[in-house]
Amino acid sequence: MTDKPLSGRKAQAARNDKLILEAAHEVFVADPEAPIAEVAKRAGVGISALYRRYPSKEDLLRKLCADGLARYLELVSEAVEAEGDPWEAFRAFMRGVVLADTPSITVRLAGTFTPSPEMFKAAVDGDAANREMMKRFKSAGILRADVENGDLQMVTESICSINIGDAERTRAVRLRALELYLEALREPGAAPLPGSPVSDEEMGARWIPRNMKE
Amino acid sequence: MTDKPLSGRKAQAARNDKLILEAAHEVFVADPEAPIAEVAKRAGVGISALYRRYPSKEDLLRKLCADGLARYLELVSEAVEAEGDPWEAFRAFMRGVVLADTPSITVRLAGTFTPSPEMFKAAVDGDAANREMMKRFKSAGILRADVENGDLQMVTESICSINIGDAERTRAVRLRALELYLEALREPGAAPLPGSPVSDEEMGARWIPRNMKE
DNA sequence: ACCACACCAGAAGGAACCGTTCTGTTCCGG
DNA sequence: CCGGAACAGAACGGTTCCTTCTGGTGTGGT
């Protein structure tokens, strides 16, 4: 409570900016359909403090999702540019995604707002970077050849769907599940995988707002 | 449409029994918070046809969940009593759970109703059978020693959280993800798993109705 | 010293949703 | 030919939740 430059209306506002984003992140990760009042309560501010910053709930969600997308892009970039043991780079990437919980804030929220053009761009960029990353890891011989981008998405998404009350414990259990998966992703695979991985179109279809479906 | 004994009010009623349960299954698997009118529409019946059979939505959900639990018990029993290749028995069990989608109809619905005493019994029985199954597979040397019951639950649950529009395609993608996991579950594991598996208490905590939380 | 304004907390408005009940109809069975 | 079981869907009432509105407070400029 007793921050450093406590006084100043501007300072409080700046602090609230951060408080609100953090609260929104926590709340919507826990429940994508949470009411906006929950965010305000968690942040310890009034509702009007929210509406001063974001014109609507949808805008807040979009911002949150864009941040998550950006974080994901960072992680991919790190993985692509990493030097040293490729396997550890891959492992770090996957752990990073699970720890940052980006699937919960991107795909899980998808469909609740109309994506902004920037987000489309981020998606395209991310796709390219993803592809680059897969290529690198495969040519390094650490990733089995028959896993593809869609497979990784499914792995991280399904792991991030694990949720058991306590946040700390949830994180631990997810990392445990990840370790299982990692073992299976590593080259060489025992038997070929059945079916085909999730395609880009299939992944993309989830981003169209629910209102516009069918 | 042209069934065998098409006429008869009793016959239609019996047919509706089934239609309603099937529709409810589909609807609530797709969206656990779906309105009850959605079930009626999917079943092609009126709302009153539903309320004639179940006193309330909660009762319908409970019935659905109980059926899912029973199906799960069947699968465990089959696995325990299976003869022949233990690995194939285990694999069949996991595929069975994923295909029947029992996690979506049990755990995912948990908390939306107060469990019936029968369900508690089923849970206890299931637990014992589960334990028996794990013991068998481990002593057969096909399951790595450091995976436990909670791990399997997490695996099936997270796989069943995968969902991409089309039902048929979703099934295929889930089976693909399962194959990855299976490889990782098989003895011998490369490295020990981190953390501890989800405990029975943790799993059980999710069944207490949301109203009663905190 | 003081005041205009940025900022904020929380109540009020108003619309949408949904579980349940109610009304009127159909058609089997005796 | 009638009594009533079964049904479709409208109506009701309660709840939820986004958004706007009201009233209050402290700050920075003058």
Side-chain angles (χ1 to χ4, degrees), chain A residues 138-203:
Chain A
K138 280 192 189 174
S139 67
I142 58 153
L143 258 191
R144 46 188 297 181
D146 56 353
V147 308
E148 297 192 12
N149 185 20
D151 290 311
L152 292 197
Q153 303 272 349
M154 287 304 109
V155 166
T156 51
E157 268 182 56
S158 63
I159 285 180
C160 285
S161 80
I162 294 178
N163 218 306
I164 48 169
D166 183 55
E168 189 60 43
R169 184 73 181 116
T170 294
R171 198 157 30 233
V173 171
R174 286 183 184 177
L175 287 179
R176 184 178 166 95
L178 173 62
E179 221 56 42
L180 267 179
Y181 254 132
L182 282 176
E183 202 158 303
L185 292 171
R186 193 165 196 171
E187 171 79 2
L193 293 174
S196 60
V198 180
S199 74
D200 294 345
E201 290 73 31
E202 288 171 322
M203 310 275 318

Side-chain angles (χ1 to χ4, degrees), chain B residues 57-124:
Chain B
K57 182 184 191 180
E58 189 174 327
D59 287 284
L60 173 55
L61 286 172
R62 195 161 22 227
K63 161 71 170 158
L64 232 39
C65 181
D67 286 354
L69 229 43
R71 176 70 184 124
Y72 180 79
L73 276 184
E74 272 180 34
L75 288 167
V76 177
S77 296
E78 283 174 22
V80 167
E81 290 156 16
E83 304 178 9
D85 185 355
W87 174 253
E88 282 310 317
F90 175 63
R91 187 153 169 272
F93 166 71
M94 295 293 277
R95 286 176 62 94
V97 172
V98 168
L99 285 174
D101 207 353
T102 60
S104 299
I105 214 67
T106 53
V107 182
R108 192 119 164 286
L109 257 43
T112 63
F113 54 82
T114 59
S116 65
E118 291 82 28
M119 292 174 71
F120 276 122
K121 182 179 178 311
V124 173

Side-chain angles (χ1 to χ4, degrees), chain B residues 16 45-46 48-49 52-53:
Chain B
N16 279 356
V45 303
S48 57
R52 166 155 293 275
R53 282 152 241 261

Side-chain angles (χ1 to χ4, degrees), chain A:
Chain A
M1 297 303 162
T2 57
D3 286 23
K4 290 161 296 184
L6 182 69
S7 72
R9 207 68 176 206
K10 284 270 176 61
Q12 181 185 5
R15 222 172 322 127
N16 277 358
D17 282 351
K18 208 172 119 184
L19 279 178
I20 286 173
L21 270 182
E22 285 174 357
H25 185 93
E26 286 174 37
V27 167
F28 289 123
V29 159
D31 175 13
E33 304 185 18
I36 222 167
E38 192 70 27
V39 176
K41 192 166 69 171
R42 173 85 66 118
V45 304
I47 297 198
S48 57
L50 273 176
Y51 274 86
R52 165 155 296 274
R53 282 150 241 261
Y54 304 95
S56 73
K57 182 184 191 179
E58 190 174 326
D59 286 284
L60 173 56
L61 287 172
R62 195 158 25 226
K63 160 73 169 159
L64 232 41
C65 181
D67 286 355
L69 230 42
R71 176 71 185 126
Y72 180 78
L73 278 184
E74 272 180 33
L75 289 168
V76 177
S77 297
E78 284 174 21
V80 167
E81 291 155 17
E83 303 177 9
D85 185 355
W87 174 253
E88 281 310 317
F90 175 64
R91 188 152 168 271
F93 165 73
M94 295 292 278
R95 285 175 63 95
V97 172
V98 168
L99 285 174
D101 207 353
T102 60
S104 299
I105 213 68
T106 54
V107 182
R108 192 118 165 286
L109 256 42
T112 63
F113 54 82
T114 59
S116 65
E118 293 82 29
M119 293 173 69
F120 276 123
K121 184 180 176 312
V124 173
D125 289 355
D127 210 53
N130 244 324
R131 229 168 278 282
E132 169 74 8
M133 180 181 73
M134 294 297 285
K135 203 197 295 184
R136 275 181 59 103
F137 285 139
K138 280 192 189 174
S139 67
I142 58 153
L143 258 191
R144 46 188 297 181
D146 56 353
V147 308
E148 297 192 12
N149 185 20
D151 290 311
L152 292 197
Q153 303 272 349
M154 287 304 109
V155 166
T156 51
E157 268 182 56
S158 63
I159 285 180
C160 285
S161 80
I162 294 178
N163 218 306
I164 48 169
D166 183 55
E168 189 60 43
R169 184 73 181 116
T170 294
R171 198 157 30 233
V173 171
R174 286 183 184 177
L175 287 179
R176 184 178 166 95
L178 173 62
E179 221 56 42
L180 267 179
Y181 254 132
L182 282 176
E183 202 158 303
L185 292 171
R186 193 165 196 171
E187 171 79 2
L193 293 174
S196 60
V198 180
S199 74
D200 294 345
E201 290 73 31
E202 288 171 322
M203 310 275 318
R206 302 185 294 183
W207 289 82
I208 78 172
R210 301 211 201 296
N211 310 329
M212 302 189 161
K213 284 270 177 74
E214 78 206 29

